[in-house]
Structures are given as C-alpha cells and as structure tokens.
Amino acid sequence: MYKYLFITFFFLSIINITASPLDDDDDVIFYPTFMYLDSSKNTYKVKIHLHVFEKKEDSIKRKFLLHYLNSEIGDDSSTQTDLFKERAKWFLIDNKRGKEVSIELFGKIYQLNETEPNGRSMTEISIDKSLILSKDEQNGYIEFKSSTTKRNKNTYPGKFFLVKEDSTCLISDIDDTLKISDVRNKKALLANSFVRPFALVQGMNDFYNSLLSKDNTCFVNVSASPWQMYTILHQFFEASGFPQTAYYMKDFRLKDSDFFNLFEKPEEYKYNTIEPILNEWKKVKFILVGDSGEKDPEAYARLALKYQNQVSQIFIRIAYEENLDDRIAKVFEKIPKSKYRFFKNVQEIK
C-alpha cells in the first residue's frame, strides 16, 4: 500500500508550478524568529520564515496517516476524536509551492523568496540599526504584516525578537523537557503527540519565567518534532505561561520515507541546528536545556567543548529511572562540573 502512495506523492511533487501571488484560499503563517545585531556593519539581520498553505485536507494523506497511526497505536477510536483531528490536520493541509509573498516593514516592501514544495520559504534581510526605535528595543520585538494581493485581501501578522550582543539566550528541547512525550516508547510517543492531551513538565514554565525576569534573556525552542506540530505546541506553551519564543523544528513531509522515523535521530539535528546560532551570535551567552531520554547530553556536551566561552550552563532533566553515572562521566569528562546539572525536579535548579 505504502509503495503506491509514495508513487502518487512523487508524481504530484514534480508538477511544474509557476510562481504566483497569494490566492483567496491561501493562508500564511509567519514563524517567530530573531533579529540579531551585526555590530561590525551596524545592521540587524533577520530571517523571515513563512508557510503558505490551504486548509483543505488531502484525502490520500489522511488515509495514509490514519492507517499508520492506527497500526502503531492500536486503537482505532483514538483517531476519531476532535483532539486528534485538530493535531492531524496540520499534516493533511495542502502546502502551496511557488507562492510569492511580500511584507511591509519600516515603511518598505520586501519581496520574499518563493515557497518550496513544503510550502515554506526563508528570506534573510538586513535592517539598518537607525530604523530600530527605542520602544522596539524596550519591547524586545518588532511586528510586521504581509502585503495584500489582488485575490487575497488579508494581511498576515509576523513577529521577530531582538537579540542584543550582551544578552543570554536559553535554548530548550521540547519533548520530555517541557512536555511529557516518552520518546523511548514509540507507541506512547505517537499517542502523546496525536491523541492524548499534552502534559506539562511541572515547574518548567516558572523556571523559564524566572530567567526572563533577568535582563536581556531570549528563548529558542529547538525540537526534532516536525514543523506540523508548531501551531499546537505554540498554543500549548502560550496557554501554560511560557515566555515568548522562536522555534527551530524538523523538515518533514508525509510523502517522505522518513515518516517512519518521525521523531528519531535528534542528536545530529540538534547539534547542526544550534551550532549556526552560536556561530552567528558570537557575543551571546547560552544556556542549553534538555533531557536524558535521547541524545541531548551528547549534543550539548559537544557544543560546550567547542564553544566554551559561549555555553555557560547545561541543564538536563532526568526523564527515566536509570543509572546515569557512567554516561555522565563519559559525556562530560572534559567539562567542568560547575557547568552542567542533572535534575529530576525543577526545584533542584531554580
């Protein structure tokens, strides 16, 4: 069955689509991101990250997803709930390739890169420091909106956060760090992602807000979860009282064979995603927060060794009952003990 579905997706993907402006049935999400000051050029650089899609569900994708989840979770009724439908819809929407979007920012129109087959695009722009007002710096963020088109009169809002050179940035994992996912149990992980209410790791919201009260702290969520989970995760964390944050998540399409490894192999992904941030934000200090469930300790230790002057602290939540002594001794052998902490309860590190 999967073979024929992949063939169908393949032929759909190679259809040539000419770039076009937004249609009336197109929707846009601007993912929150950061604007960082390049003092050598007296400019701020920002990457505008967007997603263009149509909310209608693809019936082939739906059949494929339902078959897979039912076979893995083993409970057909669980995929009939409103909760499942709300989460699954982001995997079933029609991504819009070849869409041209422009934004209005500081009285100027910026034409962004056209969208890729996954409906997303990334465009880096530079903003002269003189355009950033003192109120923007006090707020810590800047808002913008998309331009209208002949066929779509909606404007879609976006936001990016200002990162100062003397600031501290907390980079956090999500699964089993901020919410209970049980990443080592594939069946439980899928159920916790698609059919069960999200469960907060108690106290993490208060801990992050205690850091927010300090000057110049920014927050980034780096997760091996797919971008399709962004909206529901963002809503959950916002409702749970977490500070505003930007997200880095995994590229994923249902037609890809890596569907069967949806949340797997996070170590290289985490390292390769975080390292460019450290390279670009050279004068920023970093706190890395993760869990012991998979490879956060290994990825963070590698970063701490390579960027000793930037990585100031590592916090690892102990997600499973197990003896971690040998693992900790090996992974953090060359890192000062004062630089890392393992904890079961967030009260241990507050």
Side-chain angles (χ1 to χ4, degrees):
M1 173 183 176
Y2 296 131
K3 174 182 178 182
Y4 297 109
L5 286 170
F6 286 137
I7 292 173
T8 301
F9 285 135
F10 172 75
F11 281 107
L12 288 174
S13 71
I14 62 175
I15 297 174
N16 185 31
I17 300 177
T18 304
S20 63
L22 295 177
D23 290 323
D24 56 358
D25 54 0
D26 290 338
D27 270 303
V28 180
I29 291 177
F30 286 101
Y31 298 114
T33 184
F34 288 100
M35 173 181 274
Y36 178 70
L37 176 64
D38 184 345
S39 58
S40 63
K41 299 179 181 178
N42 213 33
T43 61
Y44 278 96
K45 294 193 298 183
V46 59
K47 294 182 176 69
I48 305 296
H49 186 191
L50 64 89
H51 181 203
V52 180
F53 59 94
E54 187 179 345
K55 289 182 178 176
K56 70 176 183 180
E57 292 186 358
D58 185 302
S59 60
I60 298 178
K61 290 181 181 178
R62 182 175 182 79
K63 185 176 181 180
F64 178 67
L65 180 62
L66 287 175
H67 180 87
Y68 175 71
L69 290 177
N70 286 332
S71 65
E72 292 294 329
I73 297 175
D75 180 7
D76 290 1
S77 63
S78 65
T79 56
Q80 305 303 314
T81 65
D82 290 339
L83 180 61
F84 169 77
K85 292 175 183 177
E86 173 62 25
R87 294 181 185 177
K89 74 179 183 181
W90 294 103
F91 290 82
L92 308 176
I93 57 178
D94 183 13
N95 297 315
K96 290 303 188 77
R97 176 183 186 176
K99 288 293 180 176
E100 297 176 325
V101 179
S102 60
I103 63 170
E104 300 176 25
L105 181 62
F106 299 115
K108 182 179 177 180
I109 301 296
Y110 291 86
Q111 181 66 54
L112 307 180
N113 296 329
E114 67 181 72
T115 56
E116 301 292 335
N118 59 12
R120 295 192 290 111
S121 81
M122 183 82 74
T123 307
E124 182 176 295
I125 61 177
S126 296
I127 305 294
D128 192 274
K129 185 181 179 182
S130 63
L131 296 175
I132 309 300
L133 304 178
S134 58
K135 68 178 183 66
D136 296 324
E137 293 184 337
Q138 290 177 353
N139 290 335
Y141 64 85
I142 292 173
E143 296 177 320
F144 62 91
K145 61 182 179 180
S146 64
S147 304
T148 61
T149 68
K150 289 183 178 180
R151 299 186 62 180
N152 190 320
K153 301 304 180 183
N154 297 319
T155 58
Y156 299 91
K159 176 186 290 187
F160 45 79
F161 304 103
L162 299 177
V163 180
K164 298 179 181 179
E165 290 183 316
D166 60 346
S167 62
T168 296
C169 183
L170 184 149
I171 296 180
S172 176
D173 174 55
I174 291 178
D175 292 300
D176 289 326
T177 300
L178 303 185
K179 75 175 187 70
I180 303 299
S181 300
D182 197 359
V183 296
R184 291 184 181 177
N185 183 327
K186 184 177 182 181
K187 180 178 178 179
L189 174 60
L190 291 172
N192 287 327
S193 299
F194 286 97
V195 301
R196 295 174 183 165
F198 289 153
L200 181 70
V201 174
Q202 293 300 314
M204 294 302 287
N205 48 355
D206 294 333
F207 173 51
Y208 283 21
N209 278 303
S210 69
L211 296 175
L212 179 65
S213 65
K214 300 178 182 179
D215 292 338
N216 300 329
T217 302
C218 68
F219 297 84
V220 184
N221 284 338
V222 176
S223 173
S225 297
W227 276 108
Q228 286 88 338
M229 303 292 292
Y230 162 77
T231 299
I232 53 177
L233 287 172
H234 175 66
Q235 291 172 347
F236 172 70
F237 293 135
E238 189 174 57
S240 300
F242 279 89
Q244 295 186 87
T245 182
Y247 289 77
Y248 290 80
M249 303 182 76
K250 188 176 180 180
D251 290 322
F252 167 78
R253 291 186 296 169
L254 267 182
K255 59 177 256 183
D256 296 334
S257 59
D258 71 349
F259 178 75
F260 304 99
N261 302 305
L262 186 55
F263 297 87
E264 294 182 6
K265 300 180 180 178
E267 180 181 358
E268 291 305 317
Y269 167 78
K270 292 276 183 67
Y271 184 91
N272 293 336
T273 301
I274 295 173
E275 185 177 38
I277 301 175
L278 271 64
N279 275 326
E280 185 173 9
W281 304 356
K282 294 184 182 301
K283 297 183 180 181
V284 172
K285 300 296 183 183
F286 292 88
I287 300 171
L288 307 181
V289 185
D291 66 88
S292 63
E294 291 193 300
K295 298 293 185 179
D296 287 348
E298 286 76 6
Y300 291 174
R302 288 169 61 193
L303 290 164
L305 284 172
K306 188 171 182 179
Y307 300 91
Q308 297 180 31
N309 294 329
Q310 288 179 267
V311 177
S312 61
Q313 191 73 52
I314 296 172
F315 295 110
I316 300 294
R317 175 180 176 264
I318 301 173
Y320 294 89
E321 291 294 334
E322 59 185 328
N323 189 325
L324 295 172
D325 291 347
D326 290 343
R327 183 180 178 189
I328 293 172
K330 179 180 179 181
V331 173
F332 291 92
E333 179 183 6
K334 299 180 181 179
I335 299 175
K337 290 185 177 181
S338 60
K339 209 166 192 175
Y340 65 89
R341 295 277 300 279
F342 281 69
F343 66 97
K344 289 184 178 180
N345 188 303
V346 73
Q347 298 298 327
E348 299 171 32
I349 57 173
K350 289 182 69 174

